[in-house]
Amino acid sequence: MRVLVTGGAGYIGSHTTLALLEAGHDVLVVDDLTNSHAESLRRVATLAGRPAQFVEANVRHDDVMEATFARFLPEAVIHFAGWKAVGESVAKPLVYYRENLDSTLTLLETMQRHGCTRIVFSSSATVYGAGEPPLSEDAPTGATNPYGRTKLMIEEILADASVADPDLAVGVLRYFNPIGAHASGMIGEDPQGIPNNLVPYVAQVATGRRAELSVFGDDYDTPDGTGIRDYIHVLDLAAGHLAALDYIRDHAGYHVWNLGTGRGTSVFEIISAYERACGHPIPYQVLPRRAGDVARSFADPSKAKRELGWEATRGIDEMCVDSYRWQSNNPRGFTA
């Protein structure tokens, strides 16, 4: 199948692009490299033994997308492109609404003009807000920040589009906390600036790039007082995208699935697992809670197992070992 991947040079996008190539699909990546590196796609090509085609562009640009669709004639789209930092979205809400919503509207309009009727969308568990876990797909939604609201708005746009076009097949993947890296250590997460998420920050502390980790709150109502999240290996996540793509080949309409392990892991448990992975202590300091953080969040992934035949197979120790291998091999990420 010819698959167009927006944002395919990023962390999750590059691992999914590799999985698509290994599965025999023809892939074209559109990415403006705002928060990613072309080097990731060069390494993907090495691992896969063949390259994905690449267009450096913002998905919001209608003329570029029109030319790209006319040349590549995609049969399906996987849509990762978008801005994704929660804190930044609070400071720059208009940028987030413009980038994330406009790119999706341009993409859907271009798909419609070219008769492309299959799309898998990269959503997020942030759409659940502060819901009580385990979170199933029918749990109430209510994002608490502009980033999460853009994800929720895009889901609603896709749902409305699927009603208007009975041939449109939409797979929405709400994933929880992706971590880890490819076992080769050649591709992994390379955030720009100070990491917004726990594990890439731990990885940079473990390799000496940063002095210590900040733990925001140890007084939550959890067994060790720190926040609990559902961490999923990025390779399991990539496999989930391929499973969703396969499902929507034969199932039109609008479909939503959680991708998670269904198990929660605390901040202190992550630190311990990473210490086992790297073989030395991770220095940290405990700071007050951050506004908006919840005590616990983890998935009910049973629908994905039932409908897609997918489930996460890798545990926390493997996630941390793979993360550390990537970071230690690439202490400055793709720019080293």
Side-chain angles (χ1 to χ4, degrees), residues 155-275:
E155 289 191 11
E156 293 169 348
I157 290 168
L158 289 166
D160 289 342
S162 70
V163 172
D165 181 358
D167 292 327
L168 186 63
V170 177
V172 170
L173 301 180
R174 293 173 177 167
Y175 33 86
F176 281 65
N177 296 76
I179 62 173
H182 192 268
S184 67
M186 290 181 63
I187 58 173
E189 186 169 12
D190 184 17
Q192 306 298 296
I194 299 173
N196 291 296
N197 298 320
L198 172 64
V199 172
Y201 206 115
V202 174
Q204 292 185 8
V205 173
T207 54
R209 185 170 171 180
R210 301 193 184 276
E212 66 179 4
L213 173 71
S214 296
V215 175
F216 295 101
D218 64 351
D219 57 351
Y220 286 101
D221 184 18
T222 61
D224 65 16
T226 64
I228 289 174
R229 298 293 182 270
D230 189 338
Y231 296 94
I232 177 174
H233 198 294
V234 67
L235 293 180
D236 283 333
L237 196 61
H241 287 78
L242 268 66
L245 184 64
D246 186 60
Y247 185 90
I248 65 172
R249 292 179 75 163
D250 302 314
H251 297 82
Y254 180 79
H255 311 277
V256 180
W257 300 283
N258 286 334
L259 296 187
T261 65
R263 298 182 299 275
T265 303
S266 75
V267 174
F268 284 158
E269 288 173 331
I270 286 288
I271 293 172
S272 295
Y274 222 98
E275 289 176 339

Side-chain angles (χ1 to χ4, degrees), residues 4-10 27-42 52-65 67-68 71 81:
L4 188 150
V5 181
T6 73
V27 183
L28 185 147
V29 169
V30 179
D31 196 309
D32 67 2
L33 304 181
T34 296
N35 193 36
S36 58
H37 297 273
E39 176 62 22
S40 69
L41 294 179
R42 288 189 281 271
Q53 297 181 53
F54 175 54
V55 174
E56 183 178 347
N58 190 306
V59 180
R60 292 196 296 115
H61 295 163
D62 182 82
D63 55 342
V64 175
M65 294 306 294
T68 299
R71 176 171 61 86

Side-chain angles (χ1 to χ4, degrees), residues 119 121 123-125 127-128 135-139 141 152 154-156 158-159 162 170-176 244 247-248 253-259 300-308:
I119 181 170
F121 172 58
S123 191
S124 168
V127 302
Y128 293 119
L135 294 161
S136 64
E137 291 82 355
D138 58 2
T141 55
L152 194 53
I154 292 168
E155 289 191 11
E156 293 169 348
L158 289 166
S162 70
V170 177
V172 170
L173 301 180
R174 293 173 177 167
Y175 33 86
F176 281 65
Y247 185 90
I248 65 172
Y254 180 79
H255 311 277
V256 180
W257 300 283
N258 286 334
L259 296 187
D300 172 0
S302 59
K303 184 182 178 186
K305 182 177 181 179
R306 183 173 65 252
E307 295 185 355
L308 303 181

Side-chain angles (χ1 to χ4, degrees), residues 190 203-204 207-210 324-336:
D190 184 17
Q204 292 185 8
T207 54
R209 185 170 171 180
R210 301 193 184 276
Y324 180 65
R325 183 186 300 111
W326 151 255
Q327 195 69 63
S328 57
N329 288 349
N330 305 270
R332 295 288 169 178
F334 289 112
T335 59

